[in-house]
Amino acid sequence: RGIVLQNSLVHENKKQEMEILIEELEYHLNISKSITTNIFFSLKHKFIPLLKNQIGSRLLQNYLPYTNTEIISLIYQELSDKLTFLLPDPYANYFCIKLFQNLSLKERISFLTNISNQNH
């Protein structure tokens, strides 16, 4: 019973952390109107849970088309080895589609190659 309660508290803590992260992200995106270098680096190791969250994924999708190509490349590099983990997720999948649409031709080929290689 103690373990169940502890797991419940951990889950609630993570949920609160995600809500705070999304609130801060939304604030900064509303000011900058794109994913900036500072925003990228503040999210560097938080992309996966953020993309698997409906609000977080949608928020990043909305600002991706206005984001500098160098930042889009950095996001792709951050996620490239996790694509087969992200694509089956209902929220992360939409972000991956939007990311793919904003990649350079060379990066699109890399994206498709990564998926192919990760599935074997």
Side-chain angles (χ1 to χ4, degrees), residues 21 25 28-29 32 34-47 50 60 64 67-68 70-79 95 99:
L21 176 64
L25 177 61
H28 291 290
L29 287 171
S32 65
S34 69
I35 303 168
T36 62
T37 305
N38 288 341
I39 292 172
F40 169 78
F41 283 109
S42 71
L43 297 177
K44 191 149 171 45
H45 300 291
K46 301 173 187 165
F47 273 103
L50 198 55
L60 289 170
L64 201 57
T67 299
N68 173 314
E70 288 83 20
I71 302 300
I72 289 174
S73 292
L74 289 173
I75 294 169
Y76 172 64
Q77 289 169 25
E78 176 79 9
L79 301 176
F95 177 84
L99 177 65

Side-chain angles (χ1 to χ4, degrees), residues 3-119:
I3 293 172
V4 172
L5 181 58
Q6 189 176 15
N7 286 342
S8 176
L9 290 173
V10 168
H11 176 72
E12 188 59 35
N13 240 3
K14 288 184 183 222
K15 184 179 171 187
Q16 288 175 338
E17 287 175 17
M18 181 58 65
E19 288 171 359
I20 291 167
L21 176 64
I22 289 170
E23 196 173 294
E24 290 174 357
L25 177 61
E26 187 170 25
Y27 171 79
H28 291 290
L29 287 171
N30 283 333
I31 292 170
S32 65
K33 306 296 184 210
S34 69
I35 303 168
T36 62
T37 305
N38 288 341
I39 292 172
F40 169 78
F41 283 109
S42 71
L43 297 177
K44 191 149 171 45
H45 300 291
K46 301 173 187 165
F47 273 103
I48 302 296
L50 198 55
L51 294 177
K52 293 181 131 225
N53 176 285
Q54 182 179 15
I55 298 167
S57 178
R58 188 174 296 149
L59 195 56
L60 289 170
Q61 288 172 52
N62 290 341
Y63 288 93
L64 201 57
Y66 308 104
T67 299
N68 173 314
T69 57
E70 288 83 20
I71 302 300
I72 289 174
S73 292
L74 289 173
I75 294 169
Y76 172 64
Q77 289 169 25
E78 176 79 9
L79 301 176
S80 65
D81 63 339
K82 300 162 188 78
L83 292 172
T84 56
F85 176 71
L86 291 171
L87 286 169
D89 182 84
Y91 306 124
N93 179 280
Y94 286 107
F95 177 84
C96 289
I97 292 167
K98 188 74 105 176
L99 177 65
F100 182 82
Q101 293 169 345
N102 286 278
L103 294 175
S104 69
L105 179 59
K106 184 178 179 182
E107 289 167 330
R108 285 182 183 194
I109 292 168
S110 172
F111 183 105
L112 296 172
T113 303
N114 278 338
I115 293 170
S116 177
N117 290 341
Q118 289 175 34
N119 280 327

